[in-house]
Amino acid sequence: MMQEELKALEVEALQKIKEVTDERSLQDIRVHYLGKKGALTAILRGMGKLSKEERPVVGEVANSVRENVTAALDAKKTKLEKAALEAQLSKETIDVTLPGRPVAESGPHILTQIIEEIEDLFIGMGYEIKEGPEVETDYFNFEALNLPKNHPARDMQDTFYITNELLLRTHTSPMQARAMQHSDKSQPVKMICPGKVYRRDTDDATHSHQFTQIEGLYVDRNVTMGDLKGTLDRFSKAMFGQDREIRLRPSFFPFTEPSVEMDISCKSCHGKGCSVCKHTGWIEILGAGMMHPNVLEMAGYDPKEFTGFAFGMGPDRIAMLKYGVNDIRHFYTNDIRFLTQFHHG
Ligand code: DAH
C-alpha cells in the first residue's frame, strides 16, 4: 500500500531528523527524502498505477508527509543554527572580571617639577619667566657679563665652542643681559630664566656636561643687598622648609659686586655637622650678588641711578639635596625606575 509506504517514510525521516546533530547531515537528509531523486519522489512515481479514486487520497497523504518532513527539517535547521551561534558566543565570551592591562603612567620629570615649583614661587613675588637660546653668542655668555676675551675667570666654565663667536651657553646668566637690553628702561626688570646649560666636564656623580640652571634678576632704583637676602630667604624657606636658615658668604663672580654664595642650614644635623654637610652645618645652594656697574652700563642702564641683584641656582643640585639623590646622571639616563619614584597620583 502506498499510504503505508509514505507513512513509514515519514516516521523514518522524522527519526533521522531528530537524531542529526549538524547542519551538513541535515541537508543530506533533506536531499535524501525530498530531493528530485529522493525517496518521496520515488514512491510518487508509482501514482500512475493508482485508480482515479485512490489518487487524491494518496496525493493528500503525500502532501502531508512532505509538509511534515519539511517543517521538521526547518525546525531542526533553526535549532542547529541557534546552537552553533551560542557555542560561538560562549567561546568568545569576555571575562569582564579579569584585571585590565595597566596603562603606563607618565608624569613630569623631577627636574621639571622642581623648576615649576621654583617658577611658581617667584611668580608669587612678581617675577616674569623668560627663556633664552641655548646656542649663545660669546658676547652675551661672557662679554656682556663683564668677562672680556682672555679674562681668566672664563676658565671657571669650560666651554663648548661652535665657532669663535658662538657657543653652547655655560650658564643662564646671558639672560641677564638679554632681559635688560630689551627692557623699557623706565620699568623695573624682574625675571627668572630656567633652562639647560652645557659645560665641557667629564660626567661623574656630581658633574654632567649638560644640566639645568635658573637665573634670577631684579633691576630697579634702590635695590639693595637686603632685598636680595630677603628674597633668597623666602625662596629657601618655601623650597626646603620654614626651619631652614640661610647665610651669605663672600665669593667672586665677574658680573656681581659684591658676590656671595648662599648656604642653607643642614637639615640632617640642624647645623651640628654631619656627612651630608661635610661637617660644616651648611649646604651651598647658589651664587648671587649685586649687579656689577659694568654689566648695568653695557645693557644701557645708568649704574648711578639703577642697582640690581642677580642669582643663579641649579635645579639638579636642589633636587639632589631635596630627595637625597646621590648621582646627577640619574636625571639624564632615563631609568624609568628612578623617574617614576617622583610621580604622584
Ligand atoms: N652663572 C653662575 C654659574 O654658572 C651662577 C651665578 C652666580 C649667577 C652669581 C648669578 C650670580 O646671577 O649673581 O656659576
Side-chain angles (χ1 to χ4, degrees), residues 157 170-171 173 176 199 213 215-216 253 255-256 287-289 310-312:
Q157 303 178 357
T170 56
H171 50 182
S173 302
Q176 293 185 20
R199 292 204 193 160
Q213 279 194 342
E215 196 72 17
F253 299 101
F255 30 90
T256 43
F311 55 86

Side-chain angles (χ1 to χ4, degrees), residues 164-232:
N164 273 346
E165 295 304 323
L166 272 185
L167 46 81
L168 294 180
R169 67 179 175 191
T170 56
H171 50 182
T172 45
S173 302
M175 274 307 287
Q176 293 185 20
R178 285 183 179 276
M180 286 190 293
Q181 236 195 9
H182 296 118
S183 73
D184 167 359
K185 302 286 182 287
S186 68
Q187 298 294 320
V189 180
K190 232 178 159 181
M191 69 96 197
I192 65 165
C193 166
K196 294 194 189 91
V197 300
Y198 303 82
R199 292 204 193 160
R200 278 186 50 186
D201 272 328
T202 304
D203 292 358
D204 63 22
T206 53
H207 295 85
S208 172
H209 60 281
Q210 181 257 292
F211 56 102
T212 61
Q213 279 194 342
I214 297 180
E215 196 72 17
L217 177 71
Y218 177 27
V219 185
D220 200 355
R221 291 180 175 85
N222 306 316
V223 177
T224 68
M225 191 97 181
D227 295 322
L228 172 61
K229 192 171 180 190
T231 303
L232 295 180

